[in-house]
Amino acid sequence: MTRLSVRRASLALSPLVLLLSGTAAASAQQAVAQTAPVNPQTDAARVWNFAASDVPVDPNIVFGTLPNGMKYALLKNSTPKDSVVLRMRFDVGSFAEADDQRGLAHFLEHMAFNGSKGVPEGEMIKLLERKGLAFGADTNASTGFDRTIYKLDLPNATDDLIDTGLMLMRETASELTIDPAAVDRERGIILSERRARDTYQLRSVVDQFEFQMPDMTVANRLPVGTEAVIRTAPAARLRDLYERYYRPERATLVVVGDFDPAAVEAKIKARFGDWTGRGPAGADPDIGTIDYARAAAADDFVDPAIQDSVTLAMFKPWVQLPDTRAKRARNLAEEVGEAIVSRRLAKIALDEESPILSGYFSEAGGWKIFDQVTFGAIAKEGAWREALALVEQESRRAVEHGFTQAEVDEQLANRRTGLRNAVAGVTTRRSETLADTLIEAADGDFVVVRPETTQTLFEATAPSLDAAAVTAAFRARMAGMSAPLARVTAKTPVEGGTAAILAGLAASQQVAVAAPVAATSSAFAYDDFGLPGRVVADNRIEDLGIRRIRFANNVMLNIKKTDYQKDRVYLSLRVDGGNLLATRDDPTKVSLAGSITVGGLAAHSFDELRTILAGRTVSPSFGSDTDAFGGNALTSPEDFALQAKLMTAMLTHPGYRADGLALIRRFLPQQYAANDATPAAVIARDVGGILANDDPRSQTPPLATLLALDWNQLKPAIADSFAHGAIEVGVVGDIDEQVAIDAIAATFGALPARRAAFDPRPDARVREYATDRSERTLIHKGPAEQAELRVYWPARDDSDLAEAMRLNLLARVMQLKLTEELRERLGESYSPGAGASLSDEFPGYGHLLAASNVDYKDLATTRAAIFAIAGELRAAPVDADLLDRARRPLVESMTKARRENSYWLNYVAEATTHAERLDRSRNGIAEVTAATPAELQALAQRYLVDDKALVIRAVSDKAGT
């Protein structure tokens, strides 16, 4: 909603000079103009604005434009297989609203789901559900300042489903009824959405816009609108926006997926060719400008839940340039410098006495009005002055002294690796990502290219990117920027207010900054773990394609080779132990294990690892789960062995460094400050302990308790697990099995003998459901009207697959009934929900849930509606159509998930220690498909019992005042 239009093209470099300026730039542009065009010279190419570019467009994309002005782009893509993604964009958002229309662009987005000439009110979502699409997951829309986008993710590529998707997009484009009665019914839903979004974060964003852009309409044109307009605006004012701005010349349709582009192009021409605008077209809105001569200024925003932070923002006028190789070359040089600034701030954040938790450089192009850069940091609580000085001085250090060659090389290595991975994965790019890129390209500001093109251009120019060139580019980037606008967010009032902030800025500006010290980098210290392990057992689970290995030291390895993501491999590590080592008497015994990576390694700090591993697709992923230490990492076949070495080193040589512990202690107060800021936050803080009968292991510990923890307390708690605990490694992805076996043999397989099996720890797995079922009221510190109601029914664990899948389906049915009652009929909640949480770790432990974010005054009616729905599910079998609308999207999502590496990783990670769970993959869909209305009714009668329910409500400390 608050996204600024970032107009920087994707990385691609010029084989021409690095930075073109003055006469050199003119000569180069003239030379380009005299050569034959590299792109098609069709009407579509000109409308999409790539005909004149010397950057070659992806030739596989079918670009088009209809006589009425509507643009479209089609791309055949097979990831995910047999699916289609549709996006339709209208170049209109909240900027186009008059004062009496504030919020109506977003309101109009809602009305697209509430009746058109071809689809009666209330039937669009049901129609899609019957075809396997879930509302929210597969069917959605968004409204921004300058655009509205409608999204459909079709679970298969049949003609029927594609036709349905195109029909609905055309209905949205020109056939909405905007019935006054339907408008009135939708008001409560939009007010509910507005209420849920009224958070300290949003209020901070509004304050930021008011401060940084006072002469623009941004701050008073947030898409969420005003309560008064939403409550009272007549349907005619929505229709005014609709007819003036939902027009073919403002529309772009994108279709990406597993289909024949020629056939779909014909469908688009037939479906949209006769669309014409109604009445006069709306003008592009005047959104104001920036005062670039404004003197340095300061702003403070105070809220008890806000993260302490500092920013320095600077502006200069936007300059519109075509997307050329020369522009991309300049952009890359600038971006390398910007990344170095962020890297420096991230390094400083890891200093033991640092006043910041993290830092960054960011840039944004504001709707082709301004070019903005921001230097920022999350500050240690109360340390705004020190953080502001640090950020200001680092920004000056970059401009005055530039960058070192080592810093440039690190960033180039990272980018080169990213490009190499992109090229390797070109055949398995995701349709959703490609569609979203094409929707952005509709502005005509960049050319959509293939990864191979980007890589080729990069390699042609990278040798000229030395420290001097990058420094010059960054200085040119910063030249002409306005005076800095300093902003501080804090939990308590800033002593001295904005005057103190300005004084702090001025004082910092008088401090001389020295040149950066050239850093040195060492080689990774953990390359040899001893003699590679010997395989003593090797078997296959043929129907699932899983190979299971055991080494002589008892390390278990499970492998599933897939082709879902080219050159992508997941590595999972499970080391016996995890949070089960905590006790009722010492519930935070292993809490620090979840953050052990920031402690680095014995030979390398966490920051040094970033430099050592630059240009490699590896990450120090290691933490704590319920019953295991370890983690999951995404790597490449080329870097798989290094990733295995890194994770082994985290197990055998954790660093326990003081700078990592200091960072954790700076972070925790910021996190805890927001724990009661919203209804959802306070429930998340307390619900675990409430449901687990006040078991301290499930409660959020006091902040003081966590701040008192240290590495010395953690070491003995995890020592036995790290030294002797059973190890299970999972590998899923595009990797040769023998390559994976060899890499694990040389790392985990080379360790001294481990225990052969995980300790079941039955006593640690005991969790009792709350015996006290009295209603609980939790207090949050948000606005008075914000409330949330949750109803929990105790259920069971997930060990019985048939019942577990039916309980999940029952929850889906309840979700639909809640939506129809609380959203559509009562208009009380934007997003009511239901779910089933059935533990796979704690025997007998689980629950069903119904939840709704509501107005405080509607708590009683919402509560009554939830219990009434539960009663209906107990009283009679589920209606066949309702069951179909719940089941089809669930089956489609389960089917689609099986084509994802992340889905298989859950099974492969435990394929030896929990082989019984593999039947879930084999039979889960069949169990959902076989479920009957009578079975769901029986489950409702068993579990959705009123006197077993536990009601939790979260209300504001200001409610009723």
Side-chain angles (χ1 to χ4, degrees):
M1 183 179 63
T2 58
R3 184 186 65 84
L4 301 188
S5 301
V6 178
R7 300 305 184 204
R8 192 147 272 189
S10 58
L11 294 182
L13 302 185
S14 171
L16 307 175
V17 294
L18 171 66
L19 295 174
L20 299 178
S21 58
T23 304
S27 300
Q29 295 289 355
Q30 183 178 11
V32 169
Q34 292 173 349
T35 62
V38 301
N39 287 318
Q41 300 299 297
T42 62
D43 289 342
R46 283 184 281 273
V47 169
W48 281 86
N49 200 30
F50 60 79
S53 175
D54 59 354
V55 177
V57 71
D58 184 340
N60 297 313
I61 303 170
V62 177
F63 292 97
T65 180
L66 298 179
N68 59 16
M70 188 188 96
K71 298 197 293 288
Y72 62 87
L74 311 174
L75 177 60
K76 181 175 177 58
N77 190 66
S78 298
T79 303
K81 184 177 173 60
D82 193 34
S83 64
V84 179
V85 172
L86 283 81
R87 301 285 185 265
M88 192 161 194
R89 164 179 161 171
F90 297 91
D91 291 334
V92 58
S94 55
F95 279 149
E97 298 165 349
D99 285 342
D100 67 343
Q101 292 177 314
R102 291 175 61 185
L104 295 194
H106 174 237
F107 204 136
L108 185 56
E109 171 212 311
H110 277 241
M111 295 311 297
F113 298 87
N114 282 279
S116 63
K117 290 182 179 179
V119 184
E121 181 187 0
E123 287 301 314
M124 177 181 173
I125 298 302
K126 293 179 181 178
L127 169 66
L128 292 171
E129 287 167 346
R130 294 180 188 113
K131 293 181 180 292
L133 281 76
F135 184 52
D138 306 309
T139 308
N140 217 326
S142 63
T143 303
F145 289 105
D146 61 350
R147 66 194 62 184
T148 304
I149 300 173
Y150 295 90
K151 305 175 182 182
L152 289 176
D153 291 355
L154 308 182
N156 61 69
T158 63
D159 270 353
D160 172 66
L161 201 50
I162 293 174
D163 287 341
T164 298
L166 293 175
M167 178 273 291
L168 292 174
M169 291 301 190
R170 175 58 197 272
E171 290 286 303
T172 297
S174 63
E175 307 302 316
L176 299 186
T177 53
I178 315 180
D179 177 72
V183 169
D184 289 340
R185 284 188 288 271
E186 194 68 16
R187 296 184 197 276
I189 297 168
I190 297 174
L191 288 170
S192 170
E193 182 178 358
R194 187 180 188 280
R195 181 179 62 247
R197 293 184 177 181
D198 184 12
T199 64
Y200 64 93
Q201 297 104 319
L202 180 62
R203 292 189 289 275
S204 177
V205 167
V206 173
D207 176 84
Q208 175 186 335
F209 286 155
E210 290 174 340
F211 167 59
Q212 294 178 348
M213 309 169 197
D215 298 325
M216 297 185 69
T217 63
V218 183
N220 61 12
R221 281 299 181 275
L222 264 66
V224 74
T226 68
E227 182 176 348
V229 170
I230 295 168
R231 286 190 183 279
T232 62
R237 297 303 285 148
L238 278 88
R239 181 160 293 282
D240 170 73
L241 274 177
Y242 184 56
E243 293 185 351
R244 289 192 297 126
Y245 290 101
Y246 276 52
R247 304 174 64 88
E249 66 270 23
R250 286 185 174 269
T252 302
L253 177 65
V254 169
V255 188
V256 179
D258 206 356
F259 57 83
D260 175 11
V264 172
E265 184 174 32
K267 292 176 184 290
I268 290 172
K269 291 177 177 178
R271 180 72 65 177
F272 293 90
D274 63 349
W275 175 25
T276 59
R278 300 177 182 175
D284 289 336
D286 180 1
I287 64 173
T289 190
I290 295 289
D291 179 5
Y292 302 104
R294 182 182 179 187
D299 175 55
D300 59 340
F301 179 83
V302 178
D303 190 283
I306 199 78
Q307 283 189 323
D308 290 51
S309 70
V310 298
T311 56
L312 289 175
M314 289 160 268
F315 297 82
K316 62 182 176 182
W318 176 260
V319 177
Q320 181 67 30
L321 296 172
D323 185 10
T324 63
R325 297 183 178 199
K327 177 184 176 181
R328 292 188 177 212
R330 183 182 65 250
N331 284 353
L332 179 77
E334 293 170 359
E335 289 164 357
V336 169
E338 294 160 3
I340 293 171
V341 174
S342 291
R343 179 72 178 86
R344 287 179 178 178
L345 290 170
K347 182 181 181 69
I348 293 170
L350 285 166
D351 290 345
E352 191 171 352
E353 301 299 325
S354 177
I356 67 174
L357 283 72
S358 63
Y360 61 90
F361 176 100
S362 67
E363 61 171 10
W367 306 285
K368 302 185 181 181
I369 300 292
F370 60 78
D371 182 7
Q372 175 184 357
V373 299
T374 301
F375 299 85
I378 304 301
K380 179 181 177 181
E381 188 169 341
W384 70 264
R385 192 182 301 273
E386 297 84 351
L388 180 65
L390 188 156
V391 167
E392 187 279 325
Q393 289 165 32
E394 286 305 315
S395 69
R396 254 188 313 122
R397 193 186 320 277
V399 173
E400 293 180 15
H401 298 290
F403 310 112
T404 68
Q405 190 60 46
E407 290 176 313
V408 172
D409 290 343
E410 179 177 329
Q411 295 305 318
L412 289 178
N414 288 334
R415 288 164 186 269
R416 179 173 283 110
T417 298
L419 291 171
R420 184 180 67 240
N421 290 341
V423 169
V426 67
T427 59
T428 54
R429 293 176 295 172
R430 298 195 64 85
S431 293
E432 302 95 320
T433 303
L434 292 167
D436 292 339
T437 298
L438 285 166
I439 278 292
E440 289 296 315
D443 286 321
D445 294 326
F446 66 92
V447 179
V448 182
V449 301
R450 287 182 61 83
E452 300 94 330
T453 301
T454 305
Q455 184 185 49
T456 298
L457 297 175
F458 175 90
E459 295 299 347
T461 303
S464 63
L465 287 176
D466 58 15
V470 173
T471 296
F474 187 78
R475 286 171 177 162
R477 177 83 176 92
M478 297 301 299
M481 285 289 175
S482 63
L485 302 180
R487 186 169 184 268
V488 172
T489 65
K491 296 175 180 60
T492 58
V494 174
E495 184 176 355
T498 56
I501 297 172
L502 272 179
L505 175 63
S508 177
Q509 289 171 330
Q510 300 306 308
V511 176
V513 292
V517 177
T520 59
S521 178
S522 58
F524 186 60
Y526 304 99
D527 194 56
D528 186 358
F529 293 91
L531 189 66
R534 178 173 56 88
V535 173
V536 296
D538 185 349
N539 63 78
R540 290 184 183 275
I541 305 172
E542 296 292 349
D543 64 319
L544 298 180
I546 299 173
R547 185 176 179 183
R548 297 187 298 190
I549 302 288
R550 186 179 287 269
F551 294 97
N553 67 349
N554 286 320
V555 166
M556 297 162 274
L557 168 63
N558 312 314
I559 309 171
K560 180 175 175 65
K561 179 175 173 58
T562 73
D563 58 2
Y564 306 135
Q565 289 179 283
K566 183 67 175 174
D567 266 25
R568 287 290 181 271
V569 189
Y570 280 96
L571 174 60
S572 166
L573 171 65
R574 300 177 67 246
V575 181
D576 185 22
N579 299 335
L580 289 181
L581 297 183
T583 65
R584 294 182 69 96
D585 294 333
D586 190 0
T588 60
K589 185 177 182 178
V590 293
S591 293
L592 279 180
S595 303
I596 200 169
T597 55
V598 298
L601 294 170
H604 308 298
S605 71
F606 185 66
D607 182 74
E608 289 167 346
L609 285 173
R610 290 174 175 171
T611 298
I612 292 170
L613 302 175
R616 309 298 294 272
T617 310
V618 297
S619 59
S621 177
F622 200 99
S624 184
D625 202 350
T626 301
D627 68 342
F629 300 110
N632 302 328
L634 179 61
T635 183
S636 66
E638 180 179 353
D639 289 329
F640 181 84
L642 179 59
Q643 181 67 62
K645 291 175 183 178
L646 177 60
M647 295 179 82
T648 306
M650 293 301 303
L651 177 65
T652 59
H653 294 83
Y656 301 116
R657 291 171 176 262
D659 55 7
L661 184 62
L663 178 62
I664 294 169
R665 289 174 172 170
R666 292 196 300 274
F667 170 78
L668 284 171
Q670 300 279 29
Q671 179 187 37
Y672 267 62
N675 276 354
D676 59 358
T678 66
V682 74
I683 290 177
R685 182 192 69 187
D686 292 349
V687 71
I690 294 173
L691 295 180
N693 209 29
D694 297 325
D695 189 320
R697 293 168 295 182
S698 298
Q699 293 175 327
T700 300
L703 175 59
T705 300
L706 292 184
L707 290 175
L709 299 177
D710 61 31
W711 296 131
N712 290 329
Q713 167 268 332
L714 178 67
K715 289 178 186 178
I718 64 176
D720 180 69
S721 286
F722 275 38
H724 306 294
I727 293 177
E728 186 171 24
V729 178
V731 178
V732 177
D734 184 20
I735 189 169
D736 180 80
E737 289 181 350
Q738 192 58 49
V739 169
I741 293 170
D742 291 345
I744 302 305
T747 51
F748 296 106
L751 299 178
R754 314 291 294 196
R755 284 189 280 270
F758 277 57
D759 186 340
R761 296 187 172 85
D763 293 342
R765 293 181 184 274
V766 174
R767 291 293 185 275
E768 297 178 353
Y769 202 82
T771 55
D772 178 6
R773 305 291 168 81
S774 60
E775 185 169 314
R776 315 296 173 87
T777 298
L778 307 179
I779 305 300
H780 69 86
K781 295 180 179 178
E785 67 276 11
Q786 286 186 353
E788 184 159 339
L789 185 76
R790 296 193 184 183
V791 182
Y792 295 87
W793 291 271
R796 54 160 302 142
D797 60 32
D798 76 343
S799 58
D800 184 322
L801 176 60
E803 187 163 302
M805 299 314 299
R806 283 160 176 79
L807 284 171
N808 276 283
L809 182 56
L810 177 63
R812 290 261 183 159
V813 170
M814 179 177 274
Q815 167 81 56
L816 296 183
K817 290 179 72 69
L818 286 169
T819 299
E820 291 171 6
E821 179 68 11
L822 295 178
R823 178 178 170 127
E824 302 303 332
R825 195 181 77 81
L826 297 177
E828 290 182 356
S829 178
Y830 167 63
S831 57
S837 177
L838 312 176
S839 178
D840 62 349
E841 301 288 357
F842 304 112
Y845 194 73
H847 62 257
L848 294 169
L849 162 69
S852 184
N853 186 302
V854 298
D855 192 311
Y856 173 76
K857 66 179 176 58
D858 294 326
L859 278 169
T861 56
T862 300
R863 188 185 194 280
I866 289 174
F867 278 96
I869 288 170
E872 292 170 6
L873 292 171
R874 294 193 305 268
V878 176
D879 170 78
D881 179 65
L882 178 61
L883 179 55
D884 187 51
R885 291 190 287 114
R887 184 180 357 235
R888 283 181 180 268
L890 178 57
V891 169
E892 290 291 352
S893 68
M894 294 173 71
T895 302
K896 184 178 178 180
R898 294 177 65 85
R899 301 192 290 264
E900 302 289 346
N901 284 335
S902 55
Y903 165 87
W904 285 108
L905 188 65
N906 292 325
Y907 291 101
V908 174
E910 304 178 333
T912 298
T913 56
H914 291 288
E916 75 283 354
R917 296 189 64 81
L918 296 175
D919 277 342
R920 310 180 76 80
S921 178
R922 295 183 177 103
N923 303 322
I925 292 175
E927 291 292 354
V928 172
T929 303
T932 67
E935 289 173 334
L936 297 191
Q937 182 188 11
L939 290 175
Q941 291 172 343
R942 185 185 313 165
Y943 294 113
L944 298 179
V945 179
D946 290 356
D947 61 8
K948 292 183 179 180
L950 172 57
V951 177
I952 299 177
R953 60 182 210 148
V955 301
S956 172
D957 58 356
K958 309 167 192 65
T961 60

